[in-house]
């Protein structure tokens, strides 16, 4: 079965997802929407003729089976609900929404109209995370008492695969919904919930090194009501390091052993050479290549999208449920409230 796919928003993530779809069986991008004529021209140059300046027109007139939503955060609720009302399956970049109320509106529409829905949390699909999860699930570490999760980078201000200007909405706290806590915290809270379930917030401290209109770093303490595991989460947009350097890790300290994603990390440069050579061989042998595998981390974006479309095609259960997506947002909203209480 071939699915007609629309991409809403052609920023760096929209372009990445569009290119990844070219390597996914059953997913054919037939339409895109973006307010920028330059981005629409980019899409046309890659064979997409059905382009829209307004994402609502694509949803209502684009004749698509599924959409990939990479719009600004404040547009998630309107676009997600409209897609659900039109019976269109949705892959949406995190966060679910800017507020719990908006998130509930999206999830209610998803459930009412019975569409497939998944939030993009690519960290679950990073090889080192998958291997660490396997160790934990198999009991190798024993009971994990403490988990440390860290994600420090430049945030939206860092160069991507190709440098692009930072959109204006990122500097509006109402439109962005928050800073590093919402952006990076969504990933790390999702991971803690995936590992240990029944996540609860115990403490949050927000920082602002660069005087942005929101936080650029945060330290968070989580707890699992199921396993009693405590999670210490460190987040930041303050680092000036750039890819391939990536200050990201999860460490689990258990009663039987301990392990870190650092244990499973390849040398990023040797991995790039190895995967590059493999891609050359696969092309020569007319076999499928693994897009962006040479970057190690960015390959997870392909894996999550491939999982989504596989679930749509086979009517399988998504790894990331709508309820998990909403719970992550609930913890973040509670954290912002807790931080305001600290400052009062």
């Amino acid at each position: 079965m071939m699915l007609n796919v629309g991409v809403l928003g052609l920023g760096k993530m929209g372009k990445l997802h569009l290119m990844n779809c070219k390597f996914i069986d059953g997913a054919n991008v037939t339409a895109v929407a973006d307010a920028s004529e330059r981005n629409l021209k980019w899409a046309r140059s890659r064979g997409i003729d059905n382009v829209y300046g307004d994402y609502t027109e694509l949803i209502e007139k684009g004749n698509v089976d599924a959409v990939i939503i990479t719009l600004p955060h404040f547009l998630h609720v309107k676009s997600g609900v409209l897609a659900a009302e039109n019976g269109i399956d949705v892959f949406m970049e995190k966060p679910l929404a800017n507020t719990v109320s908006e998130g509930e509106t999206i999830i209610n529409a998803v459930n009412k109209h019975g569409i497939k829905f998944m939030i993009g949390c690519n960290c679950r699909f990073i090889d080192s995370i998958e291997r660490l999860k396997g160790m934990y699930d198999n009991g190798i570490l024993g009971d994990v008492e403490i988990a440390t999760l860290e994600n420090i980078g430049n945030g939206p201000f860092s160069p991507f695969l190709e440098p692009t200007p930072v959109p204006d909405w990122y500097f509006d706290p109402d439109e962005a919904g928050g800073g590093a806590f919402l952006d990076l915290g969504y990933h790390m809270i999702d991971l803690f919930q995936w590992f240990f379930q029944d996540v609860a917030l115990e403490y949050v401290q927000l920082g602002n090194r660069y005087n942005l209109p929101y936080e650029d770093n945060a330290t968070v303490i989580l707890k699992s009501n199921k396993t009693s595991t405590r999670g210490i989460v460190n987040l930041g947009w303050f680092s000036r390091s750039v890819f391939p350097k990536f200050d990201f890790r999860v460490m689990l300290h258990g009663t039987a052993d301990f392990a870190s994603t650092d244990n499973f990390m390849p040398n990023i440069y040797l991995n790039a050479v190895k995967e590059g050579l493999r891609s050359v061989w696969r092309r020569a042998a007319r076999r499928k290549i693994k897009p962006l595998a040479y970057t190690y981390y960015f390959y997870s974006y392909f894996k999550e999208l491939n999982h989504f479309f596989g679930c749509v095609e086979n009517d399988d259960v998504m790894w990331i449920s709508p309820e998990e997506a909403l719970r992550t947002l609930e913890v973040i909203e509670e954290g912002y409230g807790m931080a305001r209480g600290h400052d009062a």
Side-chain angles (χ1 to χ4, degrees):
M1 179 179 69
M2 182 64 71
L3 296 171
N4 290 332
V5 180
V7 179
L8 312 186
L10 287 176
K12 61 183 182 181
M13 291 309 304
K15 290 177 179 176
L16 177 65
H17 288 316
L18 186 152
M19 298 305 291
N20 276 335
C21 282
K22 295 180 179 295
F23 300 93
I24 297 176
D25 291 337
N28 181 33
V29 177
T30 58
V32 298
D34 196 277
S36 166
E37 181 56 39
R38 179 180 180 182
N39 286 339
L40 297 181
K41 182 179 179 180
W42 178 92
R44 290 190 189 97
S45 72
R46 283 154 179 82
I48 313 298
D49 297 323
N50 196 10
V51 301
Y52 296 86
D54 185 341
Y55 71 87
T56 63
E57 289 189 37
L58 187 156
I59 292 174
E60 295 173 340
K61 303 176 183 178
N63 191 31
V64 294
D65 305 298
V67 289
I68 299 170
I69 297 178
T70 62
L71 295 167
H73 302 165
F74 67 97
L75 294 177
H76 282 195
V77 61
K78 182 177 179 180
S79 59
V81 169
L82 187 60
E85 289 174 344
N86 281 269
I88 297 172
D89 296 317
V90 173
F91 176 92
M92 179 184 287
E93 266 302 319
K94 60 84 192 158
L96 172 62
N98 281 349
T99 68
V100 171
S101 177
E102 290 179 347
E104 289 174 338
T105 299
I106 295 172
I107 300 306
N108 288 339
V110 167
N111 292 333
K112 177 180 179 181
H113 297 283
I115 66 163
K116 292 288 187 181
F117 178 88
M118 187 176 119
I119 286 291
C121 289
N122 71 293
C123 289
R124 292 198 190 192
F125 296 84
I126 295 174
D127 177 70
S128 59
I129 291 290
E130 292 178 334
R131 294 178 67 177
L132 188 66
K133 183 68 159 56
M135 290 186 68
Y136 173 71
D137 288 345
N138 289 324
I140 296 173
L141 306 178
D143 295 331
V144 173
E145 284 295 302
I146 299 172
T148 305
L149 304 92
E150 299 180 332
N151 195 342
I152 311 294
N154 281 341
F157 318 110
S158 62
F160 196 59
L161 297 179
E162 56 182 73
T164 55
V166 181
D168 291 341
W169 66 268
Y170 253 119
F171 297 97
D172 185 327
D174 292 327
E175 294 187 348
F181 183 39
L182 177 64
D183 179 52
L184 301 180
Y186 200 97
H187 280 303
M188 308 314 274
I189 294 168
D190 173 74
L191 284 180
F192 186 87
Q193 180 176 210
W194 186 40
F195 272 78
F196 307 110
Q197 303 177 41
D198 200 4
V199 60
L201 178 71
E202 292 202 326
Y203 174 83
V204 63
Q205 181 68 54
L206 305 181
N208 193 325
R209 176 179 175 85
Y210 293 122
N211 297 316
L212 296 169
Y214 37 61
E215 78 288 347
D216 56 37
N217 65 87
T219 296
V220 184
I221 299 178
L222 305 171
K223 182 178 180 180
S224 167
N225 290 324
K226 180 175 181 179
T227 66
S228 297
T229 306
R230 295 185 308 284
I232 296 91
V233 181
N234 295 310
L235 311 164
W237 279 352
F238 55 80
S239 174
R240 297 183 181 180
S241 64
V242 297
F243 192 82
K245 289 185 176 181
F246 190 28
D247 192 356
F248 167 91
R249 66 193 48 80
V250 175
M251 296 177 281
L252 304 184
H253 307 272
T255 55
D257 206 346
F258 66 92
S260 168
T261 51
D262 287 342
N263 301 144
F264 309 120
M265 278 295 303
N267 179 290
I268 200 72
Y269 299 103
L270 291 179
N271 178 74
V273 172
K274 180 181 69 175
E275 291 297 335
L277 291 174
R278 285 179 175 174
S279 292
V280 171
W281 177 84
R282 289 185 182 111
R283 286 185 185 276
R286 297 179 180 272
R287 296 189 178 184
K288 292 181 181 179
I289 70 169
K290 297 167 65 175
L292 298 177
Y294 67 92
T295 68
Y296 185 75
Y297 291 107
F298 288 115
Y299 182 49
S300 61
Y301 289 108
F302 167 79
K303 289 168 66 178
E304 67 173 354
L305 207 57
N306 191 49
H307 169 73
F308 169 77
F309 285 115
C311 290
V312 170
E313 182 176 359
N314 300 311
D315 196 26
D316 288 339
V317 177
M318 307 282 179
W319 272 16
I320 305 167
S321 71
E323 292 72 26
E324 288 176 310
L326 183 60
R327 179 57 189 150
T328 299
L329 190 60
E330 288 172 345
V331 172
I332 291 171
E333 187 168 288
E334 181 183 353
Y336 279 125
M338 187 180 292
R340 285 193 294 269
H342 293 166
D343 297 337

